[in-house]
Amino acid sequence: MTGPTPGADGRLISAAEVARLAGVTRAAVSNWRRRHPDFPEAVGGGRNALFALSEITDWLDRQRKSTDVSDEVLVWQELRALYGEDMIGGVAEIAELLTADGPPGRLDEASRLRLRGKAANTSPAEVVSGFIERLIASGAALTTKHLAKAVAHVAGDVTGTVFDPAAGAGSLLLACAEHPGVRLTGQDGNPATARLARARAALAGADLEFRVGDSFQGDAWPDLRADLVVCDPPAGLTDWGRDVLMVDRRWEFGVPTKAESELAWLQHCYAHTAPGGRVIFVMPPSVAYRRAGKRIRSELLRGGVLEQVVALPSGMVASHAQPVHLWVLRRPVDGERPVSEVRMTDLTHAAPGNPFAAEPQPVVHVPVIDLLDETVDLTPAAHLPVAQIDHAGEYAADRRQILQVLERIAGSLPELTAGTGSIEGGTLRIADLARAGIVDIEEKTVTSASDQLDTDYLRGFLHGSANSARNTSSSGTFRVDIRGSRIPQMDIEEQRRYGAAFRALDEAEETLRQLNKLGLDAIARARDGLTNGTLRPGEQR
């Protein structure tokens, strides 16, 4: 006897994805498989069973379990079925579709209508940005919006030509496109990312010329000298063509080793910089001190072209949790004196969403002669003065504050009684409430605009597991889609009771976050104090 075949759309999901779709635990799905003879059979996957998405949704509908998903998730699932591993190509189709003269592509009519509806409610560029966030969350090596924002901040007022030789989806270029009269130029080896970048530029009304090819071995812009070069290069590239490019004129500061592809990218960027122009380069922190790159770092300093290094916090790059650096180079104008010191800024403890808002900013200007030592370490933290810390006093204050927070938590959790397991009555879509003028939708939340709707009740259900399931694709990628969320219908008094409970839970959650930070800071301070001699163990009780 053969098992069932996938549904007409060919989409398969795992048991964990079934759980996310239904808003339940993995164990609940296992129980359904044992207890319900009509639960769909697995169509493959061996021990990691896979199910036909259409059969699962039909079964959940028959069981009256939650299967509502947002329009964005439905489109994302179709992209997975159509494009497989080439999801960048799928998002490029969306971006092209939303341009004025975009081709129809491979998406079905229902998905095209969903996309145009979302674009009408927000904007085409915002719709595409949402899918790019899903790409990054699913592992695509694209520049995050936090990193693009940081590069744009360092760039300041941009004029003339901006170039990115590893442009990807064009995020760094578009971050610099808000200034009038800027010409954007880029190159990337992936045709799909080139399509996506071009369509995004068209949606933003930006002047972009994008060429496809290998920037090292097939430089498509050999004569370009830009006013600003930005670059977030691919990580860990070893086969970049060193053996055939040994005598290339771009290696003005030395030939990089195979393992130092970042220093090859950096010099490629500098070679495309006009006199007086700058390079803003995203650099892994290890390049600042690795022995293999010491000679090139030294030559950058002796040449007087390295102006500053900014250490950004973790969370700027989706593929890893490590901080990254921004190296800023400037090509001197003929006759200009080279820089004699390098500005070092350490923002590793700032928030990734807006690291430059941190005050005060740890900054030091280090003379070039001091950097040219045995290690040539360009890590900002290595050159900042060490502050004198009262470990004993600060640790004692931490303990007192933790005890106070624990007392607050004990009284903040609301008393709740057992329910029936379901909430009676119908549900209302946030999109319908917004059209009726009953709610105001903000970036990631919603506020009541009527005295018949309680805001705390509204936001509490908005963040419940059922709405989370609607906003989670079958691959597990989550992104808030407020308009597609639903809330139950209740009278205003019942809403206020729920709202008070949700408000108390929010306060308790915030207090627990504060406790977590306080606790980790206290533990770190205690370890530092015990190991450097400023703290000693107390008497055993």
Side-chain angles (χ1 to χ4, degrees):
M1 179 177 178
T2 59
T5 58
D9 58 11
R11 285 174 278 186
L12 301 178
I13 59 175
S14 67
E17 292 167 341
V18 173
R20 284 192 286 268
L21 183 63
V24 298
T25 64
R26 177 77 177 271
V29 176
S30 298
N31 288 335
W32 292 346
R33 294 183 67 186
R34 288 195 300 267
R35 296 176 182 176
H36 295 274
D38 63 336
F39 190 88
E41 294 181 37
V43 298
R47 294 180 61 186
N48 298 317
L50 295 174
F51 304 89
L53 175 61
S54 58
E55 294 182 2
I56 289 294
T57 54
D58 288 345
W59 185 86
L60 291 172
D61 282 339
R62 292 196 303 272
Q63 299 294 321
R64 294 186 177 180
K65 301 183 185 298
S66 173
T67 60
D68 286 335
V69 293
S70 71
D71 287 345
E72 187 175 291
V73 169
L74 290 172
V75 174
W76 182 258
Q77 289 172 344
E78 186 183 354
L79 286 179
R80 286 189 70 203
L82 290 172
Y83 285 89
E85 296 298 318
D86 182 27
M87 290 298 285
I88 292 177
V91 177
E93 176 180 331
I94 290 174
E96 290 169 344
L97 172 70
L98 294 177
T99 58
D101 55 349
R106 295 158 62 181
L107 289 168
D108 62 26
E109 181 61 23
S111 291
R112 293 199 293 271
L113 288 172
R114 290 187 183 103
L115 288 166
R116 291 191 176 105
K118 284 182 65 66
N121 287 328
T122 55
S123 72
E126 188 172 335
V127 172
V128 175
S129 294
F131 282 99
I132 289 175
E133 286 182 30
R134 286 189 181 273
L135 278 175
I136 293 172
S138 63
L142 298 175
T143 302
T144 65
K145 61 181 181 182
H146 290 331
L147 186 54
K149 182 179 178 182
V151 170
H153 179 94
V154 173
D157 293 333
V158 178
T159 58
T161 299
V162 182
F163 176 57
D164 186 346
S171 296
L172 292 184
L173 289 172
L174 292 173
C176 299
E178 297 180 359
H179 304 276
V182 173
R183 177 193 176 214
L184 305 179
T185 55
Q187 181 170 348
D188 197 271
N190 185 342
T193 57
R195 286 174 52 207
L196 180 53
R198 291 187 184 112
R200 293 180 72 195
L203 291 174
D207 175 18
L208 170 65
E209 186 176 352
F210 202 107
R211 299 175 185 176
V212 178
D214 184 323
S215 288
F216 285 139
Q217 301 188 54
D219 188 355
W221 299 91
D223 300 321
L224 177 68
R225 300 297 178 265
D227 300 284
L228 174 65
V229 182
V230 292
C231 188
D232 177 15
L237 189 66
T238 56
D239 186 19
W240 53 270
R242 182 182 188 273
D243 293 342
V244 298
L245 296 171
M246 288 284 290
V247 296
D248 196 282
R249 295 178 62 184
R250 286 172 287 185
W251 317 138
E252 185 174 338
F253 304 99
V255 181
T257 67
K258 285 187 176 181
E260 296 286 338
S261 63
E262 295 87 0
L263 292 175
W265 280 108
L266 181 70
Q267 294 188 78
H268 176 81
C269 290
Y270 188 76
H272 282 286
T273 307
R278 292 176 299 154
V279 175
I280 303 177
F281 192 90
V282 180
M283 189 72 82
S286 58
V287 180
Y289 58 82
R290 281 199 302 239
R291 185 174 181 83
K294 175 185 172 182
R295 178 171 172 268
I296 293 177
R297 294 196 302 273
S298 299
E299 293 304 314
L300 288 169
L301 292 169
R302 291 191 179 98
V305 302
L306 181 63
E307 287 195 331
Q308 66 171 310
V309 178
V310 181
L312 296 174
S314 58
M316 306 296 290
V317 179
S319 59
H320 58 77
Q322 299 301 313
V324 293
H325 291 176
L326 295 182
W327 287 21
V328 181
L329 277 60
R330 182 176 179 275
R331 182 180 287 277
V333 178
D334 287 344
E336 186 178 23
R337 295 182 61 184
V339 298
S340 60
E341 60 183 22
V342 178
R343 177 186 171 95
M344 298 280 187
T345 307
D346 184 11
L347 301 177
T348 53
H349 298 292
N354 191 10
F356 294 95
E359 292 291 345
Q361 291 184 5
V363 176
V364 62
H365 291 80
V366 185
V368 167
I369 191 66
D370 292 345
L371 292 169
L372 290 168
D373 57 11
E374 292 183 358
T375 59
V376 194
D377 189 348
L378 301 181
T379 306
H383 303 283
L384 288 165
V386 178
Q388 297 297 318
I389 301 174
D390 178 11
H391 282 88
E394 292 191 5
Y395 180 65
D398 285 345
R399 289 188 76 246
R400 288 194 299 271
Q401 194 169 1
I402 287 171
L403 292 173
Q404 292 170 0
V405 173
L406 284 170
E407 291 179 4
R408 288 210 312 271
I409 291 173
S412 62
L413 288 171
E415 292 187 10
L416 304 175
T417 59
T420 62
S422 63
I423 297 177
E424 297 180 358
T427 60
L428 297 168
R429 291 178 75 241
I430 298 297
D432 296 331
L433 294 173
R435 277 193 291 270
I438 298 174
V439 299
D440 294 325
I441 297 177
E442 300 164 20
E443 183 179 359
K444 290 186 179 180
T445 189
V446 63
T447 304
S448 170
S450 167
D451 57 5
Q452 294 303 306
L453 197 59
D454 183 84
T455 294
D456 292 314
Y457 143 86
L458 185 63
R459 293 177 176 174
F461 278 102
L462 184 67
H463 295 97
S465 59
N467 282 319
S468 295
R470 292 186 184 99
N471 291 296
T472 304
S473 71
S474 59
S475 65
T477 307
F478 175 82
R479 183 175 178 271
V480 174
D481 181 18
I482 292 174
R483 291 179 178 273
S485 299
R486 295 177 181 270
I487 60 169
Q489 290 177 294
M490 296 181 185
D491 62 54
I492 187 62
E493 291 304 321
E494 189 72 359
Q495 289 180 35
R496 286 170 180 156
R497 289 180 58 206
Y498 272 88
F502 285 132
R503 190 164 55 251
L505 291 174
D506 288 343
E507 292 172 359
E509 183 178 21
E510 181 57 36
T511 305
L512 282 170
R513 285 199 184 97
Q514 182 184 1
L515 177 63
N516 179 61
K517 185 178 186 307
L518 285 170
L520 292 175
D521 287 348
I523 291 168
R525 188 167 287 121
R527 283 204 176 102
D528 285 346
L530 288 169
T531 55
N532 65 23
T534 58
L535 291 175
R536 297 182 59 189
E539 296 295 330
Q540 295 290 331
R541 296 184 180 179

